[in-house]
Amino acid sequence: MMSRSRSRVAEMLAEGRQVIHASMSSLALRIAGLASTFLLGVLLARLLGPAQFGIYGLVTTLAALGMSAGLLGTPQLAVREFSIRKDRGDWAGIRSLFKRFGLATAAASALIAVIAILVGATLDSGDGSTISLLLPGAALMMLIGVTSLLAAELRGLGQLFRGQVMDIFARPVLTLVVMLSLLLAGIGLTATLALWAQVFVALIAAIVSFAWIRGAIPRGEGQTDTLPAIPWAAAALPLGAVDILRQLDGAYGVVMMGWLASDEALGIFRVAVACSVVVAMPVTILHVVLAPRLGPLQKSGRVVELQQLLSRTSMTLVLAVVPITLAAWLIGRDLIELVFGPAYGSAWLPLFLMCVAQLVFAFFGMGPILLAMCEGERHLIRIYLFSVGLGMLAAVPLIMEFGPAGAAAAIILSNGSTGFLSWRWGLRRLGVDSTLLPLLRSAA
């Protein structure tokens, strides 16, 4: 008995060290990528001006929405299924899913790109400006989608570094290098040219990611499936709807600002969104690192360990987000004017409100990820439909009255609703609390 207990303690300590190492590696990558993304945003904001920068941001936001639709929910399903099958040695099943996921998402993304171009052709004013933006936007959508799926599959196989490095580090760094090269060559930068530069970098990232995943899946092991095949389309499509709604949750502010406000106001809001990446960083890191652990813990009935993981994650996120939120309130305007220029000074208030939204989301911890990783995706769809709908309805009068600050205020409503309803589901269905409250109660 004592031997088994010591062995279990040793396993838990080893798992803890692995999580810390993965978190630190992810943190280092994200800090470097964040610095490059931030510098890229500063460069584009200063060179393009509020109006062109707003248009650039709108196209990249719409491309991200199209990417989510084209992926059909396969990234989260890939993390879940690849991690479970790798743990049981089902390499034949992994190879089968890899092929099917790739073919399905390639066809869906191509279809969305064609539809977007055809719609753009009908809406073009005759000067070709709409098509000139849609073509690189469509290409960017497909290439980033490929990289995102391959990255998720790498994370499911336990390769967290390679599963993050392209999206969060290599792409922003290479894009910044390309933009600086164009600037040094004396080429005038426009929103269209900036989009094509993104396409070039995304192509390189997709090629490298594909080479990595091919090397990560053994070809000679597990010639027959050791686990039953999953009805992956039935599981993936709900997750795809969740991905679209999650992407829309983060993008509807930009889209509705493009619809209801001026290009200049859109550019100011886009700067606030770019700065809010800092506060979202700890949330994203822990979600990416810990998501593959949720499914196996719940499947094996290790409820106590699952609860400890969720509560500690919520506590860590709140402690990380609070000081950033205070800094946004106290020195946000001065920092934005110093870095981006006086034209963007009013972005400080929407930035602060988005920090508050992230703080609310951090309190509820990994609630939405818990649903996605523990087969609660259909309920998660209903949660996001309600929350995003609530945010979009609130955004209309708020934007018309308060502009960029109104769009940010609507995000607080949608984030709070998503977190609360996800927390409630986990409590009722799985018997776990995704917030830090159990940790506080045990400490008291």
Side-chain angles (χ1 to χ4, degrees):
M1 182 71 70
M2 288 292 294
S3 176
R4 286 198 299 269
S5 177
R6 289 174 181 172
S7 176
R8 184 61 193 147
V9 170
E11 290 178 7
M12 292 178 64
L13 290 174
E15 289 180 1
R17 286 193 293 269
Q18 289 176 359
V19 170
I20 292 173
H21 181 266
S23 298
M24 291 300 100
S25 299
S26 181
L27 178 62
L29 279 175
R30 288 192 177 275
I31 289 175
L34 176 64
S36 300
T37 302
F38 187 76
L39 289 173
L40 177 63
V42 172
L43 182 66
L44 290 175
R46 285 186 172 272
L47 293 177
L48 296 178
Q52 280 280 300
F53 186 60
I55 293 171
Y56 167 84
L58 181 60
V59 173
T60 54
T61 300
L62 292 174
L65 286 172
M67 176 201 73
S68 295
L71 284 173
L72 304 175
T74 53
Q76 289 193 67
L77 187 62
V79 172
R80 186 172 82 193
E81 292 299 324
F82 276 41
S83 61
I84 293 173
R85 290 171 183 267
K86 176 179 179 291
D87 188 54
R88 302 185 184 183
D90 183 19
W91 292 107
I94 289 175
R95 287 193 293 271
S96 176
L97 289 176
F98 171 70
K99 181 178 179 180
R100 285 185 284 170
F101 287 173
L103 292 175
T105 55
S109 298
L111 178 61
I112 293 171
V114 170
I115 292 174
I117 293 171
L118 291 176
V119 171
T122 62
L123 298 177
D124 195 88
S125 58
D127 58 358
S129 59
T130 303
I131 291 296
S132 68
L133 292 169
L134 278 176
L135 287 175
L140 188 63
M141 176 202 71
M142 292 188 291
L143 291 170
I144 294 180
V146 169
T147 307
S148 296
L149 175 57
L150 296 174
E153 291 169 341
L154 286 166
R155 293 196 301 272
L157 294 175
Q159 299 197 16
L160 292 176
F161 180 84
R162 287 185 171 183
Q164 300 177 80
V165 67
M166 280 299 161
D167 274 339
I168 65 178
F169 177 70
R171 260 198 317 115
V173 168
L174 288 176
T175 304
L176 180 61
V177 170
V178 171
M179 297 294 183
L180 288 173
S181 300
L182 292 174
L183 181 63
L184 292 175
I187 299 174
L189 200 61
T190 63
T192 302
L193 184 57
L195 289 169
W196 279 117
Q198 288 267 26
V199 170
F200 172 73
V201 173
L203 177 61
I204 296 175
I207 292 172
V208 173
S209 298
F210 183 78
W212 281 345
I213 194 69
R214 291 283 290 179
I217 301 176
R219 299 183 184 182
E221 297 183 22
Q223 296 303 317
T224 58
D225 289 4
T226 58
L227 288 175
I230 61 168
W232 74 267
L237 291 179
L239 286 171
V242 169
D243 281 341
I244 295 171
L245 290 169
R246 183 184 290 116
Q247 193 69 240
L248 184 60
D249 191 28
Y252 73 79
V254 174
V255 175
M256 297 189 75
M257 282 293 297
W259 171 40
L260 297 171
S262 64
D263 291 343
E264 288 76 11
L266 174 61
I268 289 171
F269 182 72
R270 190 65 181 78
V271 163
V273 171
C275 294
S276 70
V277 173
V278 175
V279 71
M281 183 177 65
V283 178
T284 305
I285 288 173
L286 288 182
H287 282 189
V288 169
V289 171
L290 299 177
R293 299 189 63 203
L294 299 181
L297 286 176
Q298 189 267 333
K299 284 279 187 182
S300 59
R302 293 149 68 182
V303 179
V304 174
E305 291 180 47
L306 180 60
Q307 179 61 73
Q308 291 174 345
L309 177 65
L310 293 172
S311 295
R312 290 169 181 169
T313 302
S314 174
M315 174 70 80
T316 302
L317 292 177
V318 169
L319 292 177
V321 173
V322 164
I324 302 175
T325 305
L326 291 175
W329 174 260
L330 296 173
I331 58 175
R333 177 187 286 274
D334 294 336
L335 286 178
I336 288 174
E337 290 185 350
L338 175 65
V339 175
F340 290 92
Y344 297 98
S346 58
W348 80 271
L349 182 55
L351 171 60
F352 169 73
L353 293 174
M354 281 188 275
C355 289
V356 173
Q358 282 293 333
L359 182 58
V360 172
F361 197 67
F363 172 77
F364 291 107
M366 298 186 71
I369 304 297
L370 182 67
L371 269 73
M373 293 292 106
C374 299
E375 301 179 359
E377 54 269 11
R378 285 176 173 79
H379 194 79
L380 193 57
I381 292 173
R382 292 192 287 270
I383 290 175
Y384 271 111
L385 280 172
F386 175 80
S387 301
V388 174
L390 176 66
M392 293 181 70
L393 285 174
V396 174
L398 288 172
I399 289 174
M400 295 178 69
E401 182 67 25
F402 302 107
I411 297 174
I412 298 176
L413 289 176
S414 56
N415 275 17
S417 177
T418 300
F420 173 79
L421 294 174
S422 299
W423 162 79
R424 204 171 125 192
W425 185 90
L427 202 60
R428 291 185 173 183
R429 298 293 180 88
L430 302 179
V432 292
D433 188 333
S434 63
T435 70
L436 52 80
L437 295 179
L439 198 62
L440 295 179
R441 283 195 294 266
S442 64

